[in-house]
Amino acid sequence: MQPKLSTRQKRILKFIESFIEEHGYPPTIREIGEAVDIASTSVVNYNLNKLVEYGLLARSPEVSRGLRLVSADQPKEVPLKVADVAHLVQVPLVGKIAASAPVPLPGEDFGYYFDDDDVIDVPQSMLGKHRQGELFALRVTGDSMIDAMVADGDIIVLQRQNVAQNGEMVAVYLTERGETTLKKYYLEGKQVRLQPANPMMDPIYVDADQVNIQGRVLAVLRTLH
Amino acid sequence: MQPKLSTRQKRILKFIESFIEEHGYPPTIREIGEAVDIASTSVVNYNLNKLVEYGLLARSPEVSRGLRLVSADQPKEVPLKVADVAHLVQVPLVGKIAASAPVPLPGEDFGYYFDDDDVIDVPQSMLGKHRQGELFALRVTGDSMIDAMVADGDIIVLQRQNVAQNGEMVAVYLTERGETTLKKYYLEGKQVRLQPANPMMDPIYVDADQVNIQGRVLAVLRTLH
DNA sequence: CTTGACACAGAACATGGGTTCGGTCTATAA
DNA sequence: TTATAGACCGAACCCATGTTCTGTGTCAAG
């Protein structure tokens, strides 16, 4: 399904690649024609469709610049080589979390304008499904989260949200106790059961209206060095 | 030069970002308007120009989908991107670790020939100093590592080594007990003190010649999804 | 030689999509 | 009060751009 490409088709592919690199958006049919020295738009169109056949290109019909390069078959890279940059997410490290204090949440400028210093890189594969731009991270201080299997110095990555599904690990602020904690969340009638990650620990029960969900925990990261 | 963005402008930025992510090319003014719930194309145009003023966006006049996100705040631009890429390491996930079994170590082909499926991406910043090519990762099964603050399903990243400095967290195999465990290592005369990460747990003492160091723990990763 | 697939040219067509302009509404300054 | 600026709406304008159609020349199979 992948015969040799004609010279023109190769030039087209190369041009599209470099054009996107330079402009941030794909070229039009006419721009391609000019670059590859094809007089007629229909011929460019013809060759683009060929490239789609070969699985090297994706097109969105009736959409201007509706081109997308399909990641050609990647001959497996050298082991321990760098991975794709697209799989790396930068998460702002907005503060610290401890049992005695509320969770510091990112401000209005969520997702923009944060210092480079307070950003951690996380592979997207570690985060699963999440909403882009609503991630933040906290450094745990103290040993108060031991029942959540979280140690002093750990970093937790959260997605900002105020509600949770049963079974999700969330950061909650208990208004009555004035206390922050990480627990698995289970709504049971008017009460909420907060279950520690450590299976040897007992759950606690609190009224639902005293549970203030700060975010869902996506990952816990611990580095030893 | 960079006042607070309006809600609309933030939504526009986010939408452009995710649209490009999804389609490979930027959205049109009308697509933005639909997504951000703006009725008039002129208003979208108006806000886009605002974002250009703020230096968050670049536009190509008279060009359909002529949008480009400007890397928000980047004093140093290209270097940062390059550095980011270089900071991602692929670590082979060579097996599982449990208290009852020895640590599965990578075979002779260390660093070469491992399946793509069993590789995890880790930012180099999480690993600190390590020797390239001698990293491996293990998935923890069971709750036997609770005293090390490591839960069922966690992934630990190790560097292969047979000796350790005092205070380092290591994976050790205790020949007499036939048991694998994660502890902080302290050589004290002829004995070794193995200290759990959990400060509430007591250390154990074993003869030095019965402690078989499998590797040094560089990181512990927990994903919840 | 005839046929038909293939690559191409040129032009017409229709819609996609950026731009412009007059007008409304609100808030703050004069 | 009026005035001015910012944010917004709606509609028109018109070039940009994907699509389609007719037609050419080539080449290998029949």
Side-chain angles (χ1 to χ4, degrees), chain B residues 85-192:
Chain B
V85 176
H87 279 14
L88 222 160
V89 176
Q90 294 190 335
V91 181
L93 189 56
V94 299
K96 298 177 178 182
I97 179 175
S100 54
V103 174
L105 291 175
E108 264 313 297
D109 53 354
F110 206 170
Y112 311 97
Y113 316 134
F114 45 77
D115 288 335
D116 279 353
D117 307 328
D118 296 329
V119 170
I120 59 172
D121 293 334
V122 184
Q124 205 156 38
S125 56
M126 284 188 193
L127 302 180
K129 286 179 70 79
H130 64 273
R131 292 193 297 281
Q132 186 68 278
E134 300 194 6
L135 299 175
F136 63 105
L138 300 170
R139 169 165 277 119
V140 176
T141 61
D143 293 318
S144 58
M145 306 281 176
I146 280 186
D147 62 346
M149 310 278 288
V150 173
D152 185 31
D154 286 4
I155 288 178
I156 60 178
V157 181
L158 306 168
Q159 173 173 285
R160 182 182 214 169
Q161 61 187 52
N162 300 317
V163 296
Q165 303 294 312
N166 277 356
E168 288 183 347
M169 174 82 70
V170 292
V172 298
Y173 182 67
L174 306 178
T175 51
E176 193 162 78
R177 307 186 184 201
E179 189 180 308
T180 297
T181 183
L182 300 177
K183 294 282 192 303
K184 274 196 273 190
Y185 176 95
Y186 294 93
L187 181 60
E188 299 181 340
K190 296 252 182 217
Q191 283 211 315
V192 172

Side-chain angles (χ1 to χ4, degrees), chain B residues 8 38-43 46-47 50 62 64:
Chain B
R8 274 189 165 173
I38 296 178
S40 175
T41 58
S42 63
V43 177
Y46 172 83
N47 282 293
K50 282 291 172 194
E62 321 239 337
S64 68

